[in-house]
Amino acid sequence: MESELFIEEEIVEIAGRSTRALTMNGQIPAPTLRWQEGDTVRVRVHNGLDASASVHWHGLLVPNGQDGVPGLTNLPIEPGASHVFEFPLKQSGTYWYHSHSGLQEQRGLYG
């Protein structure tokens, strides 16, 4: 199962007010990614920001090198660069993913 996520800074409307926020594929929250237990997941993340970014797979049992925490399990995704996460999906359930870089999660990078 392959997916692509594009991280960008955009003007969005929140509670009737326009503000600068971070989006994945143009939306907040980021897209729902649907997989099935046993799938091999492959997600290509493109960083369109002027700063490094990251994606952490919260609660998923992934190989340590695919966990997405910059400086701990992965390098940050530098501006203009892409990173491919690939891992077997070992459990079913509902989980979320989010940035572990600065305050990017709070600015909209979560799904």
Side-chain angles (χ1 to χ4, degrees):
M1 181 64 70
E2 293 195 26
S3 302
E4 286 196 276
L5 296 173
F6 295 87
I7 299 172
E8 302 284 344
E9 183 173 30
E10 299 185 51
I11 301 293
V12 298
E13 190 171 309
I14 298 175
R17 301 180 82 181
S18 293
T19 189
R20 288 185 106 32
L22 304 180
T23 65
M24 285 190 199
N25 295 13
Q27 62 186 69
I28 300 173
T32 299
L33 304 174
R34 296 189 189 277
W35 307 312
Q36 292 189 1
E37 187 174 333
D39 285 348
T40 296
V41 173
R42 184 175 168 88
V43 181
R44 184 178 306 275
V45 180
H46 307 276
N47 182 4
L49 303 178
D50 292 333
S52 62
S54 62
V55 175
H56 167 65
W57 308 101
H58 197 90
L60 288 176
L61 302 173
V62 300
N64 194 48
Q66 300 298 304
D67 192 48
V69 178
L72 186 60
T73 59
N74 292 98
L75 293 172
I77 305 168
E78 295 300 332
S82 298
H83 179 79
V84 177
F85 292 92
E86 187 169 349
F87 51 87
L89 193 61
K90 296 182 177 185
Q91 82 276 20
S92 59
T94 302
Y95 300 91
W96 68 301
Y97 59 102
H98 60 92
S99 176
H100 255 260
S101 300
L103 295 174
Q104 291 177 350
E105 175 190 338
Q106 291 80 359
R107 293 191 61 209
L109 292 188
Y110 61 88

